[in-house]
């Protein structure tokens, strides 16, 4: 069905009316409406080179970065139906989406990547809609909701009115863009002439998200209830939320107690709970101005959305009176058009309205949501699900799909998955049994297999092994006889560097979303906590004797500590095992050295530290505010080397931080000589650590030693270091966009500093004076030492390094590569790789980083 107005038309009108207003901010980059329109036009031209069939859907894998967010917008405001795919989705699910729709696939890594540049395969139906939103289907396979322009245009108009989104407003969105709630706010903001500011806790973690909100000036914040809870639990939340006029959540029910916590931090805020679905769009709004009294318990859905009529039906489909509980059915001309399920078009029922020309042009449709609830006047209360579909962390989950994934796991003969309510939250529990007379599978094996088949939010929170499933006399699973799962402790974020790395190891071995470095407890989808916390128990989570062996190997590889086989049993929680590791770790007295052994040949003789005696040493210098443990993933991939990491004095143990880079270099040089009296030396430095490595090298060379090679990992010259350079850097001959962006970052910091209160400045100064002596949470400590590092960089005069060097730059590094011709004229190469500043030291990008480092170190011997 063709519509008089499409999303592209409304966006073009917004561009014409607001050309010079800011439209989109992602990270440190901002586009006004004219610039954004030009960029999207360029991307659409690229798409047109691959496909001239405007009815063909285009799937875009979205991860929250500009490289994926902009292509999503380009398709959204084009004639092509958009299929937004979250980057956390398993490959099998992406393959199903492409097979069902014949869609082109657009991914950030390969530009526009198509399965075939031919026309649609015969048999694929043509879908006339704006968005194909894939959900979980009742048959255990995904199905797509066909959302027309009429749904989106009506929804955007209503959301703008309900949420106060108008021209010039700054809208902070912390919802995944590929999911309905995030796409809602994206479309609404850009059609209203406001500024969309995207925040992704999966990239930066909750701590950095809170810090960004503290620096920013958002008028409204849009997120999930789970993320709101995580923010409220984070230091600095009050300052971050102060000044925000409206906070809105969607996706799952929220308890009034959480809104009371929000009000305690920012009493003037208006809170909005919005309800809806992919099929219905907006369904209800419940707005709480600062002076409106909150109910007790779960917040009701609220006032029914405009243009939506809700009927409550009994089991026979007969309408019930107000106040009666029954199945919810929605009637509206603004619903989705139907499904695309298994390659078949399924239309929602349409009704003769008799209401005149306007409704005749857009037919009234009906949809049974699967919810149970009641209507009182214009108010809706939702009481749960009437089918085998539940909401987990805001996402609709078909239990049949999860059950199918559990049954397909190796070693599983039978399985049943149920929804279990605990502390007001709904969790999935999988009960699995092995084939008769066969050995039971490991819980970690089952969880990992399910995680490969379904998105992270569909992986059961609990997996219970049973010898066989209990059955009724009719042969059906007796759900009443299933044992209750063991409750996990409330999530407590890992507090120390050791706990963070250990939590990541637990998560990897047990197949659970990690709450480790940079995640702040946010799962792969950015919505729920679901990760490994300090109090999580290895055995209770499904670790067995075989998994424990692997755990001990990983502990030894990562921390250089050999623990007895009983350790994971005697000290099974992350907190206790981390304390045991710290007590046994070979860390020097002032706490700046951490041994991080790489892989080595079995049977090699070891030195007193438990490392291969013959392996050459590589010293790694951490950046500002970084623990040397950040080098652990790199160390594990440097076969044949021992990596010894060094970080700032006072970062983890009590001590006075070094005020300058040269003072730190002299301290590090003494540590290097203590551990390895004579060279030749090999250094790796990440971020500011690259500059420190050069200064340590100068100290050692002055003592007559040889520094064989320095590898600088994403050392950024733009900013503080650039201000006092004693040499002239040439103008870039390449694209200087990155350099401009780097300058913008510095300017943004200056502007933020100017707006800070005198009290904030004095509080920061006091914190800096007590750095290293006053105990603080790990995240606060690292943030403080990052500021100390930035200040030392402002005071430092970086002289060129004349020795051998290799330079590795992340894709978001603002420096032109040719600057290193001046800073390190004898360098052996400048490599720009995928991944952001910290990501190049983490999987999956660390594999490329390790390869470059290994080649550089090997070449140093030639």
């Amino acid at each position: 069905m063709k519509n008089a107005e499409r999303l592209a038309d409304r966006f073009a009108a917004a561009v014409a009316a607001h050309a010079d207003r800011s439209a989109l901010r992602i990270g440190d980059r901002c586009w006004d409406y004219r610039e954004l329109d030009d960029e999207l036009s360029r991307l659409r031209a690229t798409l047109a080179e691959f496909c001239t069939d405007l009815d063909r859907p285009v799937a875009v894998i979205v991860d929250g970065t500009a490289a994926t967010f902009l292509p999503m917008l380009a398709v959204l405001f084009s004639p092509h139906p958009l299929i937004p795919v979250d980057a956390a989705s398993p490959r099998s699910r992406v393959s199903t989406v492409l097979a069902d729709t014949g869609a082109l696939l657009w991914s950030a890594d390969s530009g526009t990547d198509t399965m075939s540049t031919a026309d649609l395969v015969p048999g694929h139906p043509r879908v006339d809609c704006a968005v194909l939103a894939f959900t979980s289907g009742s048959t255990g396979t995904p199905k797509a909701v066909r959302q027309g322009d009429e749904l989106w245009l009506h929804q955007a108009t209503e959301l703008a009115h309900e949420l106060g989104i108008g021209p010039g407003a700054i809208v902070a969105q912390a919802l995944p863009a590929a999911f309905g709630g995030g796409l809602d706010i994206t479309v609404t903001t850009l059609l209203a002439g406001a500024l969309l500011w995207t925040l992704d806790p999966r990239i930066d973690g909750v701590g950095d998200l809170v810090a960004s909100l503290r620096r920013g000036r958002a008028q409204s914040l849009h997120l999930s209830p789970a993320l709101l809870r995580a923010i409220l639990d984070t230091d600095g939340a009050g300052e971050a939320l102060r000044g925000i006029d409206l906070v809105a959540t969607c996706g799952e029910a929220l308890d009034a107690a959480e809104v009371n916590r929000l009000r305690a931090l920012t009493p003037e805020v208006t809170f909005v709970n919005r309800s809806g679905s992919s099929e219905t769009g907006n369904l209800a709004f419940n707005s709480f101005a600062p002076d409106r009294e909150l109910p007790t318990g779960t917040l009701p859905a609220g006032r029914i959305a405009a243009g939506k009529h809700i009927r409550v039906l009994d089991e026979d489909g007969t309408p019930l009176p107000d106040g009666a509980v029954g199945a919810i059915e929605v009637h509206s001309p603004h619903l989705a058009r139907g499904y695309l399920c298994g390659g078949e078009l399924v239309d929602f029922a349409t009704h003769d309205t008799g209401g005149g020309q306007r409704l005749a042009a857009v037919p009234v449709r009906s949809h049974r949501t699967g919810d149970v609830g009641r209507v009182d006047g214009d108010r809706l209360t939702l009481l749960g699900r009437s089918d085998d579909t539940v909401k987990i962390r805001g996402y609709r989950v078909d239990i049949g799909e999860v059950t199918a994934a559990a049954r397909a796991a190796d070693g599983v003969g039978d399985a049943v998955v149920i929804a279990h309510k605990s502390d007001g939250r709904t969790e999935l529990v999988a009960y699995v049994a092995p084939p008769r007379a066969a050995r039971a599978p490991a819980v970690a094996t089952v969880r990992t297999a399910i995680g490969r088949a379904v998105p992270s939010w569909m992986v059961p929170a609990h997996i219970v092994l049973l010898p066989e499933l209990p059955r009724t006399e009719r042969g059906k699973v007796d759900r009443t006889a299933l044992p209750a799962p063991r409750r996990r402790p409330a999530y407590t974020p890992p507090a120390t560097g050791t706990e963070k790395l250990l939590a990541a190891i637990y998560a990897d071995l047990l197949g659970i979303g990690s709450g480790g470095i940079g995640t702040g407890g946010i799962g792969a989808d950015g919505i729920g906590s679901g990760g490994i916390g300090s109090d999580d128990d290895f055995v209770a989570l499904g670790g067995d004797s075989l998994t424990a062996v692997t755990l001990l190997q990983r502990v030894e590889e990562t921390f250089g500590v050999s623990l007895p086989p009983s350790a994971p049993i005697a000290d099974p929680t992350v907190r206790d095992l981390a304390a045991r590791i710290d007590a046994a770790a070979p860390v020097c007295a002032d706490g700046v050295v951490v041994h991080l052994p790489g892989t080595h040949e079995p049977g090699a003789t070891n030195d007193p530290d438990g490392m291969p005696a013959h392996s050459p040493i590589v010293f790694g210098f951490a950046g500002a505010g970084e623990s040397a443990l950040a080098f652990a993933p790199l160390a594990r991939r440097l076969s044949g080397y021992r990596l010894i990491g060094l970080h700032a004095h006072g970062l983890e143990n009590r001590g006075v931080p070094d005020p300058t880079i040269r003072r730190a270099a002299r301290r590090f040089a003494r540590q290097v000589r203590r551990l390895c009296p004579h060279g030749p030396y090999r250094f790796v430095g990440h971020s500011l650590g690259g500059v420190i490595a050069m200064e340590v090298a100068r100290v050692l060379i002055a003592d007559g030693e040889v520094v064989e090679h320095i590898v600088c990992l994403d050392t950024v010259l733009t900013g503080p270091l650039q201000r006092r350079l004693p040499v002239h850097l040439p103008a870039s001959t390449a694209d200087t966009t990155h350099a401009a962006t780097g300058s913008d970052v510095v300017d943004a910091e200056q502007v933020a500093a100017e707006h800070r209160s005198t009290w904030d400045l004095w509080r920061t100064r006091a914190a800096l004076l007590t750095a290293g002596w006053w105990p603080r949470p790990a995240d606060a400590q690292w943030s403080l030492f990052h500021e100390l590092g930035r200040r030392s960089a402002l005071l430092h005069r970086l002289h060129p390094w004349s020795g051998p060097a290799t330079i590795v730059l992340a894709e978001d590094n603002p420096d032109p590569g040719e600057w290193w011709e001046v800073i390190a004229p004898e360098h052996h190469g400048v490599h720009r790789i995928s991944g952001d500043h910290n990501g190049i030291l983490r999987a999956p990008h660390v594999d490329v980083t390790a390869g470059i480092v290994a080649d550089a170190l090997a070449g140093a011997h030639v």
Side-chain angles (χ1 to χ4, degrees), residues 678-683 697 700-701 703-709 801:
H678 299 289
Y681 296 106
R682 305 162 195 85
F683 294 161
L700 295 174
I701 289 172
D703 289 342
E705 297 295 340
V706 174
V707 176
E708 197 171 69
H709 206 87
W801 163 249

Side-chain angles (χ1 to χ4, degrees), residues 301-536:
R303 176 173 42 79
I304 298 170
K308 305 289 167 61
H309 174 66
I310 295 179
R311 298 199 307 171
V312 179
L313 310 177
D314 64 13
E315 293 181 356
D316 298 324
T318 303
L320 296 171
D322 268 16
V325 174
I328 299 297
E329 182 177 80
V330 185
H331 291 245
S332 175
H334 311 298
L335 302 186
R337 298 172 182 174
Y339 295 113
L340 173 65
C341 187
E344 298 290 335
L345 295 178
V346 179
D347 293 329
F348 289 165
T350 58
H351 303 269
D352 180 12
T353 64
Q357 184 63 34
R358 186 181 67 84
L359 291 181
V362 181
V364 171
R365 300 183 178 92
S366 64
H367 172 68
R368 292 197 185 185
T369 66
D371 294 302
V372 172
R374 67 174 183 268
V375 171
D376 298 283
D378 66 346
R379 296 278 158 173
L380 172 66
T381 300
L382 298 175
L383 301 174
R385 300 291 298 172
S386 60
D387 53 20
D388 206 19
T389 304
V390 296
K391 278 202 171 184
I392 302 294
R393 287 150 53 186
Y395 300 134
R396 270 183 48 183
V397 174
D398 171 46
I399 293 180
E401 186 176 359
V402 185
T403 302
R407 287 174 177 162
D410 288 342
V412 174
D414 200 3
V416 63
V417 178
I418 66 169
H420 175 75
K421 283 197 172 182
S422 175
D423 296 330
R425 300 185 187 182
T426 301
E427 297 177 324
L428 294 184
V429 183
Y431 296 89
V432 298
R436 191 174 298 275
R439 178 180 176 179
V443 167
T445 301
V446 177
R447 186 182 284 116
T448 300
I450 296 174
R452 291 195 184 109
V454 299
S456 59
W457 62 89
M458 296 173 68
V459 176
H462 307 274
I463 296 178
V464 180
L465 291 176
L466 299 174
E468 60 182 9
L469 299 183
R471 301 279 176 178
T472 67
E473 66 278 4
R474 295 188 178 183
K476 294 183 178 182
V477 175
D478 185 0
R479 297 178 180 235
T480 63
L482 294 170
R486 179 172 177 174
R487 292 181 59 185
R488 283 180 66 182
Y491 178 77
T492 302
T496 68
T498 303
E499 286 187 20
K500 287 176 180 287
L501 284 172
L502 188 59
I505 295 173
Y506 272 40
D508 186 33
L509 293 180
L510 301 175
I512 298 174
S514 173
I517 295 175
T519 70
I522 292 297
D525 50 47
I527 299 295
S529 59
I532 299 293
S534 292
D535 297 317
D536 271 315

Side-chain angles (χ1 to χ4, degrees), residues 51 71 95 103 138 153 282-283 331 415 443 462 474 492 514 516 520 534 581 604 608 615 638 641 709 730 847:
C51 181
S95 298
S138 59
L153 292 173
N282 300 326
L283 192 58
H331 291 245
V443 167
H462 307 274
R474 295 188 178 183
T492 302
S514 173
S534 292
I581 291 169
S615 298
L638 286 181
Y641 291 96
H709 206 87
D847 292 316

Side-chain angles (χ1 to χ4, degrees), residues 40 84 95 147 181 249 262 329 472 533 592 670 680 853 857:
L40 299 187
S95 298
Q147 299 173 331
T249 64
L262 174 66
E329 182 177 80
T472 67
V592 301
R670 292 193 297 271
V853 173
L857 298 180

Side-chain angles (χ1 to χ4, degrees), residues 260 263 271 285-295 300 302 379:
N260 275 322
R263 285 179 169 181
F271 174 79
F285 297 91
N286 210 346
S287 180
F288 292 88
D291 57 350
R292 183 184 170 193
E293 185 178 354
L294 288 165
R379 296 278 158 173

Side-chain angles (χ1 to χ4, degrees), residues 268-290:
E268 299 303 314
V269 73
T270 293
F271 174 79
V272 179
N273 176 42
R274 61 187 183 99
S275 302
S277 70
S278 299
E279 292 87 348
T280 65
N282 300 326
L283 192 58
F285 297 91
N286 210 346
S287 180
F288 292 88

